[in-house]
Amino acid sequence: MLEKNGSVTLLDVARAAGVSIKTASRALNNAPELRKATGDHVREVMQQLGYQPNELARGLKSRRSATIAMIAPNLADPFTAAAVQAVQDVAREHRYVVILASSGGDAALELSEVEIMARRQIDGLILIAATSGKNTLKGMLAKDVPVVVFDEPVRGEEVDTITVTNRKGARQATEHLLGHGHRRILAVGARPYLYTCSERVAGYRAAMRSAGAEPVELLVKHENELTSEALAPYLSGPCKVEAIIGLNWVCTMGVLRGLNTFKKRLGEEFAFISFDDFELAEMIPPGLTVVRQPTRELGRQAASLLFERIAEKSHGEARKVVLSTEFVIRGSCGCTPT
Amino acid sequence: MLEKNGSVTLLDVARAAGVSIKTASRALNNAPELRKATGDHVREVMQQLGYQPNELARGLKSRRSATIAMIAPNLADPFTAAAVQAVQDVAREHRYVVILASSGGDAALELSEVEIMARRQIDGLILIAATSGKNTLKGMLAKDVPVVVFDEPVRGEEVDTITVTNRKGARQATEHLLGHGHRRILAVGARPYLYTCSERVAGYRAAMRSAGAEPVELLVKHENELTSEALAPYLSGPCKVEAIIGLNWVCTMGVLRGLNTFKKRLGEEFAFISFDDFELAEMIPPGLTVVRQPTRELGRQAASLLFERIAEKSHGEARKVVLSTEFVIRGSCGCTPT
DNA sequence: ATGAAAGCGCTAACAT
DNA sequence: ATGTTAGCGCTTTCAT
């Protein structure tokens, strides 16, 4: 283990192996034009010296950093966490590494994160957009860095996009509640300017209108406005509703907290459906009926798509992948759990 | 926007500003020895040209990549996800970026991840170890890369470590259940070779022994062995217990699923306490009593500690930070919820 | 206070 | 099949 500066360089390897640095480089990259014996020998020397290639140097020269980035509003959200895990798995298969950043749902912060990634010469970006954001991606796209937009499409840019059937899922859930005879159904959403939210609201409205029922909506600008006080009017008094739909995980949490605060019981006083499934949804009695998104699959496909782009380097048509949500009936909608 | 190769270099900036590249470099780094006017002028030119520094090049020369890595067994675990979010927040304050990787709880995979990070010249590492792992960190420490070990100490290495009062927390929970008059209390854990698990088991045993009660333990090698079938003997029949402790989030999930499968009700037939709190714990009737870990605080402190090390570059004594768990009484232990 | 030159560790042209 | 020579974009001596 000869160590000069704390680390062995490719030149050290070359010298020790009695070859030129380029040959060493070829050995490192398993270049086909190398005689097998030569390559093996060099690689053995690498082993012996404990050589570790410097990815920074590699990236600087070759302009590929073997790094992708993923930016999401909130990393602690289980939807995001599951997607991140899936993306990471795919990245590893490609011998890539993933830099993670959260935008906090703030467009300005998001933009600055994207910029930071650009400086790191990332080879690709997966974005769960904080807004249906206009020009967050300008910089990336100008530099020809592939981008896959996830969950939340971005307007005005031709970008690969992967989403779910938001509208249909919400419509289905609403129709189900209507089918149970409910008319006063509350939809609870946050950040209505988001595509996901607005699509889900649209699905909800469509179902309500078709049934001749009047939509009742509580759409807050920011998740933290989703307090028990905000919900109170709908849980008792003249505005009281019969059923509630939580339009995403955070909203579902808010509603459940609210119900808990006022000691309201699911299934009895209120029917409930959540957009977003999660661990334990079945454990909350009488079991939460949910519109499930194929989270891991979303992450996996987003990453796969991204790596295809990275590999081909072609600028084909932007692909739009739409995965289906799944309606999972448990008890909270009013169905008797089997 | 003069663009040559797709990107503006510092040299372009220097030329456009009529200064040397070194001066431009100083302006970029806000070097104090620069005349303010010069610096401002250069920075303005940077703006105009849309200059973005190349972090790879910077890192190559300066040997700091402005990157830290975090490796955890499972990124989808809410405990981890919350910690990740906290780490990311701190990293941003330091204008650092974080690379995330999951080890899947596999020591070999973990080692390879660490190696990958080394090649990227990360400036620091936060590790939630997959095992109380011996030499995972050898490479990092040899290269003088600061490491903070998180949640799970690593034996045989003098490393900054940040943990919680596992033993005390488990003991407290057990004593509480004993206080309710229960004698047959089951402890459910996974990967007993882990420090966290063994400490919690130790706390449990200590409490049981002090009370003259016989420990009943279901300790599986891997989480996925925690099936309903594995739990069945303890939920009915001659082995039936009165109370259960889930020794971490995954175990709690397993137990709750098991109880659900067999239609057993918490609080009535079984008292229950979970090590690890999570969203919704209060919504699972009658409210889950938990030993809460200060997750975000753990993440925050781990990151802060790491950045101190990165900054000082000193090799002071390894610091051992131990944060307190908090016993949160809700209903599932048998206490009447207020 | 500013500049010139050398090189971080690697890969991409060209040789040979 | 292998070696030579330039750089990638930046920071760092050492001058000035």
Side-chain angles (χ1 to χ4, degrees), chain A:
Chain A
M1 291 247 201
L2 109 186
E3 302 201 9
K4 192 168 47 181
N5 200 343
S7 63
V8 186
T9 78
L10 195 55
L11 190 59
D12 297 331
V13 171
R15 283 205 267 256
V19 298
S20 81
I21 182 171
K22 181 59 209 177
T23 300
S25 169
R26 287 198 242 268
L28 177 60
N29 295 290
N30 296 304
E33 73 263 32
L34 212 60
R35 212 173 45 193
K36 186 159 181 319
T38 320
D40 287 348
H41 172 230
V42 175
R43 276 185 287 273
E44 192 169 327
V45 173
M46 285 178 177
Q47 281 275 328
Q48 281 167 10
L49 297 186
Y51 170 71
Q52 296 279 72
N54 181 328
E55 287 295 338
L56 259 44
R58 268 184 156 188
L60 179 56
K61 184 68 195 172
S62 64
R63 316 199 136 283
R64 46 159 277 301
S65 58
T67 305
I68 62 171
M70 182 163 179
I71 302 178
N74 175 18
L75 306 178
D77 180 322
F79 171 83
T80 305
V84 166
Q85 176 73 60
V87 167
Q88 214 268 313
D89 289 344
V90 176
R92 197 206 336 269
E93 289 167 19
H94 290 260
R95 322 197 110 261
Y96 264 65
V97 123
V98 11
I99 294 181
L100 208 68
S102 75
S103 65
D106 176 323
L109 234 169
E110 179 180 275
L111 183 59
S112 101
E113 292 290 1
V114 170
E115 212 162 75
I116 288 170
M117 299 312 167
R119 297 174 169 203
R120 301 203 118 80
Q121 304 240 310
I122 54 162
D123 299 339
L125 170 68
I126 295 178
L127 176 72
I128 304 186
T131 73
S132 299
K134 311 212 163 299
N135 41 20
T136 321
L137 299 177
K138 284 268 157 55
M140 287 284 111
L141 300 173
K143 283 194 171 186
D144 269 347
V145 177
V147 174
V148 172
V149 163
F150 189 93
D151 194 45
E152 179 74 22
V154 167
R155 279 191 308 260
E157 297 291 356
E158 274 305 298
V159 183
D160 291 332
T161 303
I162 177 159
T163 51
V164 298
T165 52
N166 288 295
R167 192 185 290 235
K168 187 176 151 215
R171 180 172 187 137
Q172 196 171 4
T174 311
E175 284 167 351
H176 186 83
L177 289 172
L178 287 162
H180 275 290
H182 301 303
R183 311 293 293 172
R184 292 192 48 75
I185 303 173
L186 172 69
V188 179
R191 305 182 187 260
Y193 52 84
L194 289 181
Y195 171 85
T196 43
C197 186
S198 70
E199 279 294 295
R200 292 168 195 181
V201 169
Y204 159 80
R205 281 182 192 161
M208 291 296 273
R209 296 243 172 77
S210 297
E214 188 67 26
V216 191
E217 296 160 8
L218 173 58
L219 302 176
V220 297
K221 286 233 178 60
H222 191 281
E223 289 80 2
N224 58 22
E225 296 170 34
L226 211 57
T227 57
S228 298
E229 294 75 54
L231 279 162
Y234 304 99
L235 302 186
S236 51
C239 293
K240 184 172 171 181
V241 297
E242 301 153 3
I244 307 176
I245 297 182
L247 257 21
N248 66 31
W249 180 75
V250 182
C251 294
T252 292
M253 291 305 112
V255 171
L256 291 181
R257 249 191 295 276
L259 290 171
N260 207 49
T261 304
F262 298 115
K263 305 283 176 224
K264 303 291 187 183
R265 290 220 166 274
L266 272 189
E268 297 169 20
E269 269 189 89
F270 295 96
F272 183 78
I273 295 180
S274 166
F275 208 111
D276 275 356
D277 194 11
F278 47 91
E279 296 257 13
L280 287 184
E282 55 189 318
M283 249 76 80
I284 294 172
L288 248 49
T289 293
V290 303
V291 178
R292 177 192 290 160
Q293 305 194 57
T295 325
R296 293 190 64 87
E297 193 54 28
L298 278 165
R300 191 169 298 281
Q301 291 218 24
S304 300
L305 202 62
L306 188 64
F307 282 111
E308 272 179 45
R309 289 294 186 188
I310 291 175
E312 70 192 28
K313 267 288 156 227
S314 84
H315 306 260
E317 283 273 295
R319 266 171 278 179
K320 309 288 179 185
V321 178
V322 182
L323 299 188
S324 281
T325 56
E326 183 190 354
F327 190 52
V328 181
I329 297 181
R330 296 197 268 250
S332 67
C333 54
C335 288
T336 338
T338 41

Side-chain angles (χ1 to χ4, degrees), chain B residues 2 10-19 41 45 48-49:
Chain B
L2 111 186
L10 195 55
L11 190 59
D12 296 332
V13 171
R15 283 204 267 258
V19 297
H41 173 229
V45 172
Q48 282 169 10
L49 297 185

